[in-house]
Amino acid sequence: SLDRSVKIFDLRKVSSNKKAASTASSASKSEGSSASGDDHPSMDPLATFVESRSVNCAYWSPSGNQLLSVTQSNFLRLFNKPFEQSGKAIPVAGEGGTKAGVQSISHDNQTGRYLPVFHAAWDPKCVGGSEAFVVGSMKQPRMVEVFTSPADLGTKGAGAGGGGGAKPTRVMCFGGEYLNSVQSRNAFHPTHDIVVCGNASGRVHVFR
């Protein structure tokens, strides 16, 4: 979010919250006063992870055990089973991030004013072990990076500052003489070993 946080909600609670909101709205109208807000149910997040700058995106891995975010603070954040956390202001860095199972990868996400911000994408084929994701890069020569994240992310001990245990690793870079621009959007093919990359000018590169 632009409010510098990653929030996790339980959608199973939407119906009950909506019913409560509807009841409160009806009671307010019967008393002759206007209801606050709109018809959308109010929801409290299960957990709120606090960033230093805004967050471009956050996506669940195919297994549902990891959450990946791309931040304007120049990190890729990996959360191991964040649904087991609870709190309104859980830090993502330092000792607090380590305790919350957060792993951080330093990554230049400053695409500038005229390019779309980076969004990462998981490989839907990787389930039941290490999971992989792809993300654009600001590095020269131009490239697209692929990382793997172990199933036991951050569970083997604890380290100081940057998180402990098994860590994500960059395993591959796509590039070449025809790739001369920043690829802000990238995706894995759902069944084949193909990665498709797109830039702000509408050009698509296919790696297979």
Side-chain angles (χ1 to χ4, degrees), residues 75 77 91-105 157-165 167:
F75 285 102
R77 308 278 194 195
V92 296
E95 184 177 352
T98 302
K99 291 180 178 179
V102 182
Q103 293 281 349
S104 300
I105 305 170
K167 297 180 180 295

Side-chain angles (χ1 to χ4, degrees), residues 18 20-40:
K18 189 172 184 178
S22 176
T23 302
S25 177
S26 299
S28 178
K29 290 179 180 178
S30 66
E31 293 174 0
S33 59
S34 60
S36 60
D38 51 26
D39 293 334
H40 297 287

Side-chain angles (χ1 to χ4, degrees), residues 52-74:
S52 60
R53 297 188 67 180
S54 61
V55 181
N56 295 347
C57 64
Y59 297 113
W60 290 102
S61 67
S63 69
N65 288 326
Q66 297 184 30
L67 183 67
L68 166 66
S69 69
V70 181
T71 76
Q72 286 301 106
S73 56
N74 290 330

Side-chain angles (χ1 to χ4, degrees), residues 68-71 73-78 92 102-109 133 135 139 145-150 153 162 167-170:
L68 166 66
S69 69
V70 181
T71 76
S73 56
N74 290 330
F75 285 102
L76 306 176
R77 308 278 194 195
L78 282 150
V92 296
V102 182
Q103 293 281 349
S104 300
I105 305 170
S106 181
H107 192 268
D108 183 2
N109 296 323
F133 62 89
V135 66
K139 293 181 180 179
E145 299 175 292
V146 177
F147 294 82
T148 59
S149 183
L153 179 71
K167 297 180 180 295
T169 306
R170 192 180 75 173

Side-chain angles (χ1 to χ4, degrees), residues 125-144:
K125 300 182 294 297
C126 296
V127 183
S130 292
E131 301 184 273
F133 62 89
V134 60
V135 66
S137 176
M138 294 299 295
K139 293 181 180 179
Q140 293 278 12
R142 294 304 184 196
M143 66 179 70
V144 174

Side-chain angles (χ1 to χ4, degrees), residues 136-203:
S137 176
M138 294 299 295
K139 293 181 180 179
Q140 293 278 12
R142 294 304 184 196
M143 66 179 70
V144 174
E145 299 175 292
V146 177
F147 294 82
T148 59
S149 183
D152 57 347
L153 179 71
T155 58
K156 298 178 180 179
K167 297 180 180 295
T169 306
R170 192 180 75 173
V171 295
M172 190 179 299
C173 295
F174 296 118
E177 60 179 312
Y178 296 107
L179 189 70
N180 299 313
S181 58
V182 175
Q183 309 297 301
S184 295
R185 298 291 188 272
N186 309 277
F188 285 96
H189 191 280
T191 57
H192 298 288
D193 291 329
I194 298 173
V195 174
V196 178
C197 313
N199 65 13
S201 301
R203 183 178 294 273

